[in-house]
Amino acid sequence: MAPKDTMDKLVALCLNRGFVYPSSEIYGGIAGFWDYGPLGCEMRNEVKAAWWQRMVRDREDVVGLDTSIIANPQTWVASGHVENFHDPMVDCRQCKRRFRADQVDDDDRCKASEDGRHDLTEPKQFNLMLKTRIGASDDTAIDAYLRAETCQSIFLDFKRAMQSARKKPPFGIAQIGKAFRNEITPRNFTFRSREFEQMELEFFCPPDQADDWFEHFRERRWQWHLDMGVDPEKIRWHEHTGDELAHYCQRAYDIEFEFPFGWHEFEGIHHRGDHDLTAHSNHSGKDQAYTDPETKERYVPYVIETSVGVDRTMLVLLCNGYTEDEVAGEKRTLLKLSPRVAPVKVAVLPLSKKIAEPAERIAADLRRRFNTAFDVTGNIGRRYRRQDEIGTPYCVTYDFDSSEDDSVTVRDRDTTKQERISISALPAYLSEKVLGY
Ligand code: GAP
């Protein structure tokens, strides 16, 4: 299938089945903003919970924070974003459209010129931070920014979090939260949005340990994506060199995924050195250096960062899972999502309305552990297809023998194989399959 067809079909599936909708659609939408529907919001919560479990709760050396979206605007002066967080922008003198200078597509024709070519201005630097005004009256209101990355507040709270959690370097602070960028050309569905969510870890360590922690987190993050079911053939490393390196980075690697529209970054592992804590020390006048109580050694901790978008992870998992195959001569579409992130873990399907009641009791019991669907409408084949299309890994069928043998049939989404399981063993059986314990 042509990549564009795959993307068109995936976007249609997301819209029709309730994963992603354009924001404020009845007013024509707004470029770069998206809403997550009932299934999308379940799946996002699962992605965030899986990341939090692995990056915070499974580790003794990481704590979490939840900071405000708007911080004192001096934060962004100190971080270098006011001065450096720019993309090059060009305008077409003919059709007046605006592009990111490094992303003008040769296939994109100008509608106002005879030869279809854009007549582009010289690149201008365009700051990506979204501004807002805070304060009740025009003369006292101040300009502020919606955060462009979640990590800056982690640096601002570094000392408080370290002291209150009784930690010392090496240790990390993690956060999941919204970030905003006034992207010049939001595109490729949710890939480049103006409002998105990040999952970031800032790991503070003595300078001489930074290279080892950098490798540690490169390995851990790669493995997490494999554990989420991403095809290892579809991800690769990209090391940043020269001008590619962001103003705060000493070293950086992206993890890229092969989307239907090409290879693109969805996570960055960054060696930020002491850039951030030094910048905030100098700008605020509040010393952010750390003194080891035992050795009395005083140093500004180095930071290793892992930064991944929730929305891009969702898009990776959806593109990675989108599959078309044939079962018993019939075409089907399925989302091969890992059970860990699938929005619905199990669907209970009574074979007939006449036996809906006992099946409903099974669904109510499973709901205490998993997001469980109950579907009694349509023939069983069509009900299986509906669940396959939204990525439900297991369907439980209650049939006319179930009341006799106290058993149900469990069908696996990917293989379509069926197994007879006793009703009393069902919750433990599904826990093992879905949660791994
Ligand atoms: N604190 C470091 C930082 O923000 P980044 O490479 O600019 O680094 C990290 O962003 C991740 O945030 C990206 O890999 C991507 O997953 C996500 N991201 C960045 N800009 C985005 C956008 N406009 N839309 C959706 N996700 C975005």
Side-chain angles (χ1 to χ4, degrees):
M1 201 184 342
K4 185 172 178 312
D5 292 347
T6 310
M7 209 51 214
D8 288 350
K9 285 182 181 178
L10 181 64
V11 171
L13 186 154
C14 285
L15 189 67
N16 295 333
R17 304 308 308 272
F19 282 91
V20 184
Y21 313 133
S23 161
S24 44
E25 195 179 4
I26 62 168
Y27 290 106
I30 172 165
F33 296 89
W34 298 93
D35 293 344
Y36 286 85
L39 294 180
C41 123
E42 280 291 340
M43 186 173 159
R44 271 174 84 80
N45 287 342
E46 292 295 85
V47 167
K48 290 191 273 184
W51 185 90
W52 194 262
Q53 182 65 40
R54 184 70 60 86
M55 299 301 286
V56 185
R57 292 192 177 167
D58 281 354
R59 301 185 63 112
E60 181 51 35
D61 57 359
V62 176
V63 293
L65 275 187
D66 189 357
T67 69
S68 63
I69 284 172
I70 295 175
N72 185 306
Q74 288 307 312
T75 306
W76 303 100
V77 178
S79 69
H81 282 75
V82 171
E83 199 184 336
N84 298 310
F85 199 52
H86 295 112
D87 272 344
M89 178 179 79
V90 290
D91 291 309
C92 174
R93 295 187 186 91
Q94 304 293 327
C95 67
K96 311 293 176 211
R97 276 174 63 198
R98 183 157 274 188
F99 303 93
R100 220 172 100 168
D102 54 347
Q103 286 177 354
V104 186
D105 196 337
D106 287 343
D107 298 337
D108 189 328
R109 313 295 290 165
C110 173
K111 294 211 173 79
S113 71
E114 277 176 15
D115 60 4
R117 290 216 198 117
H118 291 291
D119 175 13
L120 298 174
T121 57
E122 285 301 305
K124 278 188 288 206
Q125 290 301 332
F126 174 78
N127 192 291
L128 297 184
M129 277 197 298
L130 271 167
K131 267 192 186 164
T132 187
R133 300 266 298 158
I134 316 270
S137 66
D138 277 351
D139 44 340
T140 55
I142 58 159
D143 282 337
Y145 302 99
L146 304 188
R147 65 184 175 198
E149 53 179 10
T150 62
C151 61
Q152 287 306 322
S153 300
I154 295 182
F155 302 130
L156 304 185
D157 286 354
F158 158 68
K159 282 216 156 165
R160 275 210 182 275
M162 178 171 63
Q163 280 152 11
S164 54
R166 298 176 56 242
K167 296 285 177 203
K168 55 185 252 186
F171 85 105
I173 305 177
Q175 168 156 240
I176 299 178
K178 290 276 188 177
F180 301 81
R181 296 183 190 175
N182 198 4
E183 298 285 355
I184 298 166
T185 44
R187 60 179 177 175
N188 287 329
F189 196 27
T190 56
F191 179 81
R192 180 161 290 110
S193 306
R194 289 178 166 139
E195 173 178 338
F196 53 97
E197 199 158 6
Q198 290 184 314
M199 305 187 279
E200 298 201 298
L201 167 73
E202 308 304 315
F203 196 83
F204 301 89
C205 63
D208 62 352
Q209 294 180 10
D211 288 340
D212 287 347
W213 285 112
F214 188 65
E215 291 310 321
H216 168 88
F217 283 110
R218 274 199 335 124
E219 189 270 316
R220 291 302 153 102
R221 295 305 304 144
W222 182 267
Q223 187 56 46
W224 189 75
H225 296 299
L226 300 187
D227 294 345
M228 293 299 106
V230 178
D231 178 352
E233 299 291 314
K234 289 196 156 199
I235 51 176
R236 69 180 184 193
W237 288 108
H238 168 76
E239 185 176 7
H240 283 218
T241 52
D243 286 351
E244 268 183 302
L245 275 172
H247 64 276
Y248 51 78
C249 270
Q250 293 191 7
R251 291 175 68 200
Y253 278 86
D254 290 341
I255 305 179
E256 296 184 335
F257 177 76
E258 190 179 18
F259 292 95
F261 44 88
W263 285 95
H264 292 281
E265 168 204 348
F266 69 110
E267 166 141 19
I269 319 294
H270 307 135
H271 183 322
R272 298 181 73 120
D274 64 357
H275 172 87
D276 304 276
L277 291 182
T278 300
H280 288 302
S281 287
N282 293 343
H283 204 77
S284 67
K286 311 271 174 6
D287 183 19
Q288 299 300 310
Y290 171 74
T291 305
D292 189 304
E294 277 140 43
T295 63
K296 306 291 175 229
E297 189 195 354
R298 188 176 173 283
Y299 60 89
V300 177
Y302 274 22
V303 171
I304 303 302
E305 171 182 74
T306 76
S307 177
V308 65
V310 176
D311 312 82
R312 276 199 199 164
T313 303
M314 292 276 291
L315 194 55
V316 164
L317 296 172
L318 290 167
C319 292
N320 181 74
Y322 185 87
T323 310
E324 291 177 4
D325 68 2
E326 237 178 73
V327 174
E330 235 188 81
K331 285 204 162 92
R332 69 164 180 164
T333 300
L334 70 159
L335 278 184
K336 286 191 178 176
L337 298 175
S338 144
R340 183 69 185 85
V341 295
V344 177
K345 310 298 187 203
V346 52
V348 178
L349 315 172
L351 213 50
S352 149
K353 281 186 183 147
K354 290 186 196 128
I355 46 175
E357 227 179 275
E360 247 171 326
R361 281 200 295 275
I362 295 177
D365 185 38
L366 292 178
R367 252 180 219 124
R368 297 187 302 144
R369 297 178 192 225
F370 317 108
N371 196 24
T372 304
F374 181 78
D375 188 1
V376 75
T377 50
N379 73 45
I380 192 74
R382 194 166 309 146
R383 282 186 270 162
Y384 284 150
R385 298 290 171 274
R386 271 204 289 266
Q387 297 302 326
D388 291 343
E389 214 190 354
I390 63 168
T392 307
Y394 301 103
C395 285
V396 169
T397 310
Y398 189 93
D399 58 29
F400 291 103
D401 293 332
S402 295
S403 62
E404 301 298 317
D405 64 0
D406 280 331
S407 298
V408 285
T409 302
V410 180
R411 171 189 177 270
D412 179 288
R413 175 196 65 205
D414 299 346
T415 62
T416 72
K417 289 221 170 76
Q418 308 202 358
E419 232 183 307
R420 197 80 183 158
I421 304 284
S422 87
I423 294 170
S424 58
L426 188 63
Y429 172 87
L430 287 171
S431 277
E432 185 61 43
K433 294 265 187 194
V434 170
L435 307 170
Y437 57 85

